[in-house]
Amino acid sequence: MSVSSRARTWTCTVTGLRVHESTVPPLLVNAVTAIVFLLFGGIMALLLALTRWEAVHLLDAKWYFIVLTLHAWSMLVFWMIFFEVAILYFASSIVLNVPLASTRAAWLAYVLMLGGALLAALTAAFQDTSYDQPLLTSYAPLKIHPLFLLGAIIFAVGAFVALGVFFATVWRAQRERTYKGSLPLVTFGAVVAAIIAFESLLGGAIAYIWQFLATLGLVPGIDAEMYRVVWWLLGHGTQQINLAAMVTSWYLLGTLTVGAQTVSEKVSRTAFILYALFINLGAAHHILSDPGVSNAWRIFNASYSVYGAVMASLIHAFAIPASVEWALRRQGHGGLFGWLRHAPWGNPAFASLAVSLPLFGVLGGITGVTFGTEQLNMMVHNTLAIPGHFHATVVAGTTIAFMGIAYEVIRLLGLRELLSRRWATVQVYVFGAGMALVSLAMIWLGYFFGTPRRHPAVSTLPLVRSPALEALLGLAGVVAVVGGTLFIGLAVLSLLRGAPRPRGPVLAVQPQPAPANPHPTGASWAHATQNLAGTLTLCLIFLGVLAVIYATHWINLASLWHVG
């Protein structure tokens, strides 16, 4: 019987999952487009690093703010969301053994997102000097070009369509029962990321439509404080989409590299639910110094609500390395850290997990908890420490995790071997080291020297400076860009020139349950004895470091803020 390409599947020889051919093109195109924006944003990052390094000071004020806008939107929005759409398509169609609900809608979403992204970026680059650069925040009453706002709105509409395709695909899989048991954990995490994305994009759409109509004179004006509150649903929320997608990627990377399975799916799912309930409320910590919001609102959202999200992150911080430890122990690697010593450090996908998780947890997580505390925030508000924090989360954490997923997508769906697994692994470590130093330099400059963020010429300010740290920031930025460029080169050349990989037989689509996750044991994970001493030890060390740093911040605050 002949079947069309839209009605054909092939079997992944590694995972045993059925891959619907119609899903692969929109998935890969979104992933490749994301990588292109990563390349462009990386070039902008290099220019910024060489400008903040005062001994070089590459850009003047005009070009500094243009480049800063292009860097922020390329890296924090376009690279991330295009790649997250690819992850959503993978977690729905591939994992659940069902074709995308509508490939036409998927392509429409892509065209809208790409068109909106290009319109916004080109407007920021070439707009008249009578308009202000939006940077990432585009606060009212800045005079923002209406075409930039229109581009952001079109991009959001495209992302909404992609979310619709994802949810419809999951619903179709549930209706046709194309998988066994409850929703797989990877798909469950993707569902939570999509829920957070819907909330975030809705807030962004409201803010940008409001500002767009005000720019055209169709509404009388904008309440600046209310705009900031609504806009931060997008500004904070987009990074929480990254968080949920990154954690989902960690679980997936653990499974693909060492056969890891979470030691308690109920606990891991509960942590994802806590993200859905509380993570976006943490947006309040971005406006803790604003006079227009009440203390009660600040304390509730930036303290009590955030505790739920932090608890979720702490659960994942134990569950993911614990799943890796248990998988490696079942392969015969004992001792307190023997399992860690025998981990596949030469596998670029595992290296991405191993580098991303601690950098995000230590540099990003600890600074997020401390800088997001109302009183402690006053020490770092609008300093370079804040970009240092989110470079640790979004770049050192999420971007490295996505690099690992990209390497696996090239192998499993692109059906190409990596051009060089050794160089891919080196790339992960080089990029991770560069971003760790970038984040540390920013945090140190902001915290101890009060170096401001978003300033094109710090040398003109009456501040105590640290030329050594400024040089470290510039040099580390160069190292990170080299690592990022190596990733892009390896990814693109692997897709074009990598050795072809075999795929399983092509079959007519039939709604059959996907095979259960393969694990090299006959014993049930739920009933097997679990020795997780190594992970427990690492987590206790982490909590000790968090307690010391948190206490140190309060001591420093007391020395700066004398009362009585």
Side-chain angles (χ1 to χ4, degrees):
M1 179 181 68
S2 64
V3 291
S4 68
S5 62
R6 285 172 56 83
R8 294 166 71 90
T9 68
W10 50 271
T11 305
C12 176
T13 58
V14 176
T15 63
L17 296 172
R18 294 184 182 90
V19 178
H20 291 259
E21 290 187 345
S22 60
T23 299
V24 175
L27 189 157
L28 288 180
V29 165
N30 274 280
V32 171
T33 303
I35 291 173
V36 172
F37 276 108
L38 177 65
L39 170 62
F40 180 73
I43 295 171
M44 299 298 103
L46 179 61
L47 299 178
L48 291 173
L50 295 178
T51 301
R52 294 307 296 251
W53 184 1
E54 291 290 332
V56 178
H57 198 72
L58 185 64
L59 302 174
D60 61 18
K62 173 189 172 182
W63 278 103
Y64 172 80
F65 288 113
I66 292 174
V67 169
L68 187 57
T69 296
L70 295 174
H71 169 70
W73 279 81
S74 296
M75 301 298 259
L76 297 176
V77 181
F78 302 145
W79 142 247
M80 291 291 179
I81 295 183
F82 272 109
F83 200 86
E84 283 153 5
V85 168
I87 291 176
L88 293 181
Y89 291 165
F90 181 93
S92 56
S93 175
I94 306 300
V95 174
L96 300 182
N97 182 31
V98 66
L100 289 177
S102 172
T103 52
R104 289 185 178 180
W107 285 115
L108 173 62
Y110 173 76
V111 170
L112 289 173
M113 290 172 63
L114 181 61
L118 292 177
L119 178 59
L122 291 173
T123 301
F126 299 109
Q127 68 183 14
D128 187 85
T129 54
S130 61
Y131 289 99
D132 297 315
Q133 281 296 328
L135 302 180
L136 181 67
T137 44
S138 63
Y139 287 147
L142 289 173
K143 186 178 180 183
I144 307 301
H145 200 294
L147 288 180
F148 177 89
L149 299 171
L150 180 61
I153 294 167
I154 293 172
F155 180 85
V157 171
F160 274 125
V161 174
L163 291 176
V165 172
F166 167 75
F167 283 120
T169 303
V170 174
W171 176 79
R172 177 178 179 176
Q174 290 182 317
R175 184 186 62 186
E176 298 178 1
R177 302 308 299 172
T178 61
Y179 58 94
K180 292 181 180 180
S182 57
L183 203 64
L185 183 62
V186 168
T187 307
F188 188 86
V191 168
V192 171
I195 292 171
I196 296 172
F198 178 82
E199 298 171 353
S200 305
L201 292 169
L202 181 62
I206 292 172
Y208 283 120
I209 291 172
W210 187 12
Q211 194 173 24
F212 179 69
L213 295 177
T215 301
L216 297 180
L218 299 178
V219 296
I222 297 178
D223 182 295
E225 187 62 67
M226 189 62 197
Y227 179 88
R228 287 161 67 89
V229 172
V230 174
W231 185 91
W232 273 110
L233 280 174
L234 174 72
H236 178 81
T238 50
Q239 309 322 310
Q240 306 322 309
I241 308 169
N242 303 338
L243 171 63
M246 175 190 65
V247 172
T248 301
S249 298
W250 286 344
Y251 281 109
L252 180 58
L253 288 171
T255 299
L256 292 175
T257 55
V258 297
Q261 181 181 358
T262 181
V263 294
S264 174
E265 282 215 3
K266 290 182 180 180
V267 173
S268 294
R269 290 174 191 269
T270 301
F272 276 119
I273 292 172
L274 289 175
Y275 278 156
L277 293 175
F278 295 112
I279 197 70
N280 272 350
L281 296 178
H285 76 252
H286 291 279
I287 47 178
L288 287 176
S289 296
D290 282 27
V293 292
S294 68
N295 281 330
W297 183 87
R298 278 186 249 202
I299 293 170
F300 179 81
N301 286 286
S303 296
Y304 300 121
S305 294
V306 170
Y307 297 157
V310 172
M311 177 58 68
S313 292
L314 291 175
I315 291 172
H316 291 308
F318 180 85
I320 294 167
S323 68
V324 172
E325 176 180 6
W326 186 224
L328 291 171
R329 285 188 183 277
R330 291 165 70 88
Q331 297 172 20
H333 305 305
L336 184 62
F337 294 120
W339 60 277
L340 202 57
R341 188 172 65 255
H342 290 92
W345 298 100
N347 182 334
F350 182 83
S352 299
L353 168 63
V355 173
S356 168
L357 195 154
L359 288 184
F360 178 91
V362 177
L363 289 180
I366 291 178
T367 55
V369 170
T370 53
F371 294 171
T373 302
E374 182 178 8
Q375 297 90 336
L376 300 181
N377 180 266
M378 289 185 287
M379 291 194 294
V380 294
H381 182 71
N382 268 344
T383 71
L384 200 57
I386 300 301
H389 154 69
F390 60 69
H391 277 77
T393 56
V394 178
V395 191
T398 307
T399 294
I400 294 176
F402 285 2
M403 287 174 174
I405 292 294
Y407 286 139
E408 289 300 295
V409 166
I410 290 169
R411 297 179 63 250
L412 302 181
L413 300 184
L415 294 176
R416 296 282 182 174
E417 293 289 357
L418 297 180
L419 206 62
S420 171
R421 286 171 60 87
R422 175 177 296 180
W423 277 107
T425 306
V426 169
Q427 175 272 313
V428 172
Y429 295 130
V430 169
F431 186 80
M435 286 313 308
L437 292 174
V438 165
S439 300
L440 283 171
M442 285 184 171
I443 293 168
W444 201 275
L445 283 167
Y447 189 89
F448 290 102
F449 293 90
T451 304
R453 61 185 300 193
R454 293 177 170 176
H455 200 288
V458 176
S459 59
T460 63
L461 301 177
L463 294 172
V464 176
R465 293 173 45 222
S466 173
L469 282 173
E470 292 171 1
L472 176 62
L473 174 58
L475 291 172
V478 172
V479 171
V481 169
V482 169
T485 303
L486 185 57
F487 162 73
I488 294 165
L490 286 168
V492 173
L493 290 176
S494 294
L495 280 172
L496 297 177
R497 304 282 302 275
R501 285 174 50 82
R503 68 179 183 180
V506 177
L507 305 169
V509 172
Q510 295 179 2
Q512 302 173 4
N517 290 332
H519 296 290
T521 177
S524 168
W525 283 59
H527 301 291
T529 302
Q530 298 167 349
N531 179 0
L532 305 176
T535 299
L536 179 60
T537 301
L538 293 174
C539 287
L540 290 175
I541 293 172
F542 167 78
L543 290 175
V545 172
L546 171 60
V548 170
I549 292 178
Y550 197 61
T552 301
H553 285 333
W554 281 103
I555 293 171
N556 290 339
L557 178 63
S559 67
L560 293 172
W561 187 12
H562 296 284
V563 178

